[in-house]
Amino acid sequence: MRFKIIIVFLVFIPFLSTAQDKKSKADNLFYGYQYEKAIAAYKSEMQKDSLTNNQLLNLADSYFSTGNYDSASELYLKVNKNDTIMSVNRFNKMLQSLSKNSEKDRVKTFLRSKADKLSPELLENAEFNYSLLEIPSNNDNSTIRDLAVNSPQGDFSPAFYKNGVLFSSSRGRNTKNVYEPTGESYLDIYFARLSSNNQLVDVETFSEIPATDFHKSTPYYSDKLSTFFYILSNTEEGELRYDENGKNSLAIGTLSDTGRFRFILKDLSTSFYYPYYDDNTDRLFFAANFDDSYGGTDLYYVYTNNGQIMSAPINLGPRINSPGNEIAPYIFNGSLYFSSDIFYGFGGMDVYKANMLLNDSFTIPVNLGEGINSTSDDFGFIIKNDEISGLSGFFASNRKGGKGGDDLYAFNFKNDPGLKTFALGGKVVNLKNKAGIKGAQVRLLNQQGDVIKEVASTADGSFRVEVPWMSQITIQAMSDGYSIFSTTYSEEGMEEIQNASYNMGLSKMEDLVTEIEEKTVLKLNKFYFDKGKSTLNPQVEAELNKVVDAVVRFPQMRLRIQSHTDSRGSNSYNKKLSQQRADTIKDFLLKNGLNSSNIIEATGYGEEMIVNNCKNGAYCLDFLHKQNERTLFVVE
């Protein structure tokens, strides 16, 4: 059944609508989901006249839905080459077809050729997950088992409820109503008790939600609100309601513990799927096929006040939503789990996990890997932390070996599912004026010093980078004409910095230097050693730390340390004192990050280069003598 049971299965368009009467026999078969017959009819029509590009795409979709990916990809590529009518969702199907034919290298080449036309999030998500799926899976982390409660019909959309699990099914019930596109019963909600050995038993129709003659599906129960959220067919006085195009869509309704029912998201032309209410933020997440989607069905949320809708739907954005279909949102331990049929997965719908960041953004969704995912459709993932069984939960799949179109599966994890990643976002800015620096290189290095990821900052200096988790990471930023930023973090520091905006300041060389005595020198506050001494004091150390910082930012910087005294004291004494001070400065710098290549020389000049008239024997006030006592860091 593939995706039909969760999307096509839920949206009914009468075969005899006015719009479809104007179409060919093949078109009517296609829009009636009779794909095998549609293929035969399109082939027959092709003998009489050429098909339009829209019809070619319908034929490609028919091949795709029946598993003939060679023919599907051939047609998708043909239309994509000759016309621009292909939707992003069909673009995804084209790449899915190539992937299913083991042509991933061709997909990657195609992505590179279209890089300027595709979103950076899609390209980054694809690159990351392609690399991830090349890593051998660790099957020791999970156990997966099918369940005895499954039926020959479709069973899917599990949801925790009290001492058991709610789920959706098209198994037979006491009604003569049949959903025409599938010939099966309309979807209903069932309950199975969770036994002591974590099995689902004692399946029965869930009677707490009122019966309907049409679809009723994908339930979620909010403990905070004591309320059920679920989808159901749009009806009026017991009859299906259609929009002007003859489409009956699905709405989201709620049922409180007092028995009050109300529709909360309803539109005759838009279907809503998979409600999930986040008790922590009072946001209702769901899937829908709005016009602003990035592909097919996208994930959205609305703000609520105790379940009452308080905002327009907000799209989760291109980091989560793709040219494919995204469904079944579920939040656990700060991570969003959902399913997508995007082309870079194993095959059909796969389960992904993205960490939720503080600014309502997300890390790259990572494929949960083989086991939970297969070459078939895997979706409706739910998880909880059980005192006895640890991390456990359920999902649905139409993989081989099941009883019906979609079956329920249980799982246990030893550790958190999915690859842990390190994600960092922020800005590269000019330290002087805090303006963002465009095109700065942001690099992540591993413990061995190898560059594992490199990105460029955007026009306002923003960047975002993500890599698999590691025990230590070095973050660098650099740009032509600017200094280098480089800092290393252990795991504890990595956890802390990825939850906030990380800004890196770079300096221009011209902002760090000035002209003194016709020399280019580092710009520092003037400092003085204690009288007659060459040991460091806090004032001297503070300025020397600025020298260290400047060289760290510009590792190729080369300095001449030039120390001078005033004329008080003998020439030989001043010469010796200034050299001692120059040597002390050099030793400090070498011990604090500089190397010998950064220091060309360290020379004490004594009173050889007096800058005023305070020479031997001249009477001068103290502040005039201090003009001669100075240390310069000459930049070569």
Side-chain angles (χ1 to χ4, degrees), residues 196-321:
S196 57
N197 61 349
N198 217 30
Q199 293 285 342
L200 293 182
V201 296
D202 303 333
V203 177
E204 59 184 5
T205 304
F206 189 62
S207 59
E208 292 187 37
I209 297 178
T212 173
D213 290 334
F214 306 106
H215 288 310
K216 181 178 63 176
S217 181
T218 60
Y220 180 79
Y221 181 74
S222 166
D223 290 310
K224 178 181 179 180
L225 302 181
S226 299
T227 296
F228 294 98
F229 294 79
Y230 61 102
I231 64 169
L232 66 165
S233 300
N234 276 309
T235 59
E236 185 174 333
E237 297 181 354
E239 298 294 330
L240 291 172
R241 291 192 62 194
Y242 302 98
D243 70 2
E244 59 186 8
N245 295 315
K247 178 180 179 180
N248 174 259
S249 297
L250 296 166
I252 295 180
T254 62
L255 181 71
S256 69
D257 57 354
T258 62
R260 180 192 176 194
F261 170 82
R262 60 179 175 173
F263 284 106
I264 59 171
L265 287 171
K266 182 178 182 180
D267 185 316
L268 291 182
S269 298
T270 302
S271 281
F272 302 91
Y273 313 97
Y274 282 95
Y276 171 84
Y277 188 81
D278 183 13
D279 287 347
N280 293 323
T281 63
D282 289 330
R283 292 189 292 182
L284 176 65
F285 291 78
F286 57 91
N289 58 351
F290 288 119
D291 291 338
D292 71 343
S293 78
Y294 288 88
T297 300
D298 278 6
L299 298 185
Y300 296 80
Y301 69 83
V302 290
Y303 289 102
T304 78
N305 182 7
N306 291 324
Q308 181 69 43
I309 305 298
M310 301 298 290
S311 76
I314 299 169
N315 192 296
L316 265 60
R319 179 60 65 194
I320 298 298
N321 293 314

Side-chain angles (χ1 to χ4, degrees), residues 60-108:
D61 285 351
S62 299
Y63 281 130
F64 185 89
S65 297
T66 55
N68 186 344
Y69 301 114
D70 282 328
S71 297
S73 61
E74 181 180 345
L75 283 174
Y76 286 132
L77 289 167
K78 178 180 179 180
V79 176
N80 181 71
K81 180 179 180 180
N82 297 329
D83 209 308
T84 59
I85 68 167
M86 184 182 290
S87 67
V88 290
N89 188 245
R90 276 170 162 154
F91 171 81
N92 181 62
K93 285 184 178 180
M94 177 182 72
L95 297 185
Q96 275 187 292
S97 300
L98 293 173
S99 295
K100 283 178 174 289
N101 290 329
S102 300
E103 296 187 66
K104 287 188 177 180
D105 288 339
R106 189 176 179 186
V107 174
K108 293 177 183 179

Side-chain angles (χ1 to χ4, degrees), residues 243-422:
D243 70 2
E244 59 186 8
N245 295 315
K247 178 180 179 180
N248 174 259
S249 297
L250 296 166
I252 295 180
T254 62
L255 181 71
S256 69
D257 57 354
T258 62
R260 180 192 176 194
F261 170 82
R262 60 179 175 173
F263 284 106
I264 59 171
L265 287 171
K266 182 178 182 180
D267 185 316
L268 291 182
S269 298
T270 302
S271 281
F272 302 91
Y273 313 97
Y274 282 95
Y276 171 84
Y277 188 81
D278 183 13
D279 287 347
N280 293 323
T281 63
D282 289 330
R283 292 189 292 182
L284 176 65
F285 291 78
F286 57 91
N289 58 351
F290 288 119
D291 291 338
D292 71 343
S293 78
Y294 288 88
T297 300
D298 278 6
L299 298 185
Y300 296 80
Y301 69 83
V302 290
Y303 289 102
T304 78
N305 182 7
N306 291 324
Q308 181 69 43
I309 305 298
M310 301 298 290
S311 76
I314 299 169
N315 192 296
L316 265 60
R319 179 60 65 194
I320 298 298
N321 293 314
S322 74
N325 295 281
E326 282 71 45
I327 60 168
Y330 190 86
I331 296 172
F332 176 73
N333 279 355
S335 295
L336 172 69
Y337 295 87
F338 65 97
S339 290
S340 174
D341 64 354
I342 186 62
F343 60 84
Y344 48 72
F346 279 96
M349 301 294 293
D350 279 359
V351 181
Y352 291 83
K353 169 187 175 181
N355 296 330
M356 305 174 72
L357 304 177
L358 294 180
N359 58 354
D360 275 345
S361 62
F362 299 89
T363 61
I364 293 175
V366 295
N367 192 297
L368 290 196
E370 192 174 6
I372 290 294
N373 292 320
S374 67
T375 56
S376 300
D377 293 318
D378 309 289
F379 57 98
F381 181 95
I382 62 173
I383 185 172
K384 67 178 181 178
N385 198 348
D386 187 89
E387 293 182 358
I388 299 175
S389 55
L391 292 171
S392 63
F394 302 89
F395 68 100
S397 177
N398 61 0
R399 61 188 62 188
K400 292 181 179 179
K403 291 183 180 179
D406 293 300
D407 287 326
L408 296 176
Y409 290 82
F411 65 81
N412 289 89
F413 280 101
K414 296 178 183 178
N415 306 307
D416 283 345
L419 178 73
K420 184 177 181 179
T421 66
F422 172 72

Side-chain angles (χ1 to χ4, degrees), residues 533-587:
K533 294 184 178 181
S534 60
T535 54
L536 300 179
N537 59 40
Q539 181 196 37
V540 177
E541 282 197 29
E543 297 308 306
L544 295 186
N545 284 327
K546 295 179 183 178
V547 178
V548 172
D549 182 67
V551 176
V552 168
R553 293 179 181 279
F554 291 93
Q556 304 305 316
M557 185 182 292
R558 303 176 74 219
L559 301 173
R560 294 182 186 272
I561 304 169
Q562 298 181 351
S563 180
H564 304 270
T565 66
D566 59 32
S567 63
R568 291 175 290 189
S570 68
N571 290 353
S572 60
Y573 175 79
N574 288 334
K575 177 79 170 178
K576 179 180 180 182
L577 179 62
S578 63
Q579 186 61 53
Q580 289 172 341
R581 289 173 174 176
D583 291 340
T584 297
I585 290 171
K586 179 180 178 180
D587 289 344

Side-chain angles (χ1 to χ4, degrees), residues 495-507:
E495 292 280 10
E496 183 177 345
I497 63 174
Q498 73 170 348
N499 289 321
S501 180
Y502 190 81
N503 295 335
M504 295 180 281
L506 305 185
S507 301

